[in-house]
Amino acid sequence: MWYSPSHGLIKTPRAITKDGLQHPAQIFRKWSKAELANIGFHPARLSVADHRYYNTSGEQYNFDAATNEWVVSYSSSERNLDEIKKSMKAQVKSIVSSALSQSDWMSIREHDGGTAMSADWKTYRASMRATSNTKEAEIDALADLDAVKLYNNTPGTPNENGGVPNIDNVTAGWPNDPDYVAP
């Protein structure tokens, strides 16, 4: 991505005309940063607040002389905490609903007088509901935006490469169904 005050933001290479000269789109792939800078085009990068937590508006362009690039940023304001939590709980409900719907046929079959659902599947379904209830209560208890961010990005257990993955507690920690086979 590149920016020039005279041409605006260029997200993908395209042909341009600069000072009466036509340039093909390939200049953005083949020319060096210095060559592009000589005709007024500098790399651009986005600096955008996380849309899960912030509303954005008011695009601003600032030149960062240290990196010799344009930074495209936006004014931001915190989203309503109750709306964020409502969205998180809707995601939890969607996850549990999707998981349980895959075994609903067993419950219906048993209810209609057919083969009984196995105890493993009944335990799994109860565990899914309990996990959903726990996650919704945890989300309800989040007091501020920082707590929400931590819930969505909890540091996990270090992996074999020495990295520490972040865990989204909305999507992680669900029980595996009785037929699950680890990869």
Side-chain angles (χ1 to χ4, degrees):
M1 195 164 32
W2 303 267
Y3 180 76
S4 164
S6 61
H7 287 76
L9 190 62
I10 298 174
K11 294 181 180 178
T12 57
R14 63 173 185 186
I16 57 159
T17 301
K18 176 75 173 166
D19 299 326
L21 293 174
Q22 292 183 338
H23 300 280
Q26 288 80 2
I27 66 169
F28 294 104
R29 289 188 201 97
K30 296 186 178 192
W31 285 18
S32 69
K33 288 181 183 180
E35 290 171 315
L36 286 168
N38 283 337
I39 63 167
F41 292 90
H42 293 273
R45 68 178 160 86
L46 292 176
S47 176
V48 181
D50 191 326
H51 292 283
R52 292 177 296 175
Y53 313 120
Y54 299 96
N55 295 313
T56 58
S57 63
E59 192 173 71
Q60 302 167 350
Y61 293 86
N62 297 302
F63 189 74
D64 183 347
T67 61
N68 204 29
E69 67 184 2
W70 286 93
V71 179
V72 184
S73 60
Y74 300 85
S75 300
S76 63
S77 60
E78 286 186 8
R79 287 184 54 214
N80 178 286
L81 183 62
D82 290 333
E83 289 298 316
I84 294 170
K85 290 167 44 172
K86 181 179 176 182
S87 175
M88 292 168 68
K89 290 186 343 184
Q91 187 178 7
V92 166
K93 290 177 183 190
S94 176
I95 290 168
V96 73
S97 175
S98 176
L100 291 178
S101 71
Q102 296 175 27
S103 59
D104 281 347
W105 67 272
M106 290 184 230
S107 180
I108 294 167
R109 178 184 63 190
E110 179 178 13
H111 182 269
D112 288 347
T115 305
M117 181 185 294
S118 72
D120 288 348
W121 276 98
K122 287 180 181 180
T123 300
Y124 162 73
R125 289 173 62 86
S127 180
M128 285 297 292
R129 287 188 198 91
T131 301
S132 175
N133 292 339
T134 298
K135 287 180 181 290
E136 288 185 52
E138 290 170 349
I139 291 167
D140 281 336
L142 299 173
D144 57 26
L145 188 57
D146 288 335
V148 168
K149 289 178 183 179
L150 182 60
Y151 193 80
N152 285 144
N153 297 292
T154 302
T157 305
N159 58 31
E160 62 276 356
N161 299 330
V164 179
N166 283 341
I167 297 169
D168 181 347
N169 287 298
V170 171
T171 58
W174 292 93
N176 292 322
D177 71 58
D179 293 340
Y180 175 77
V181 177

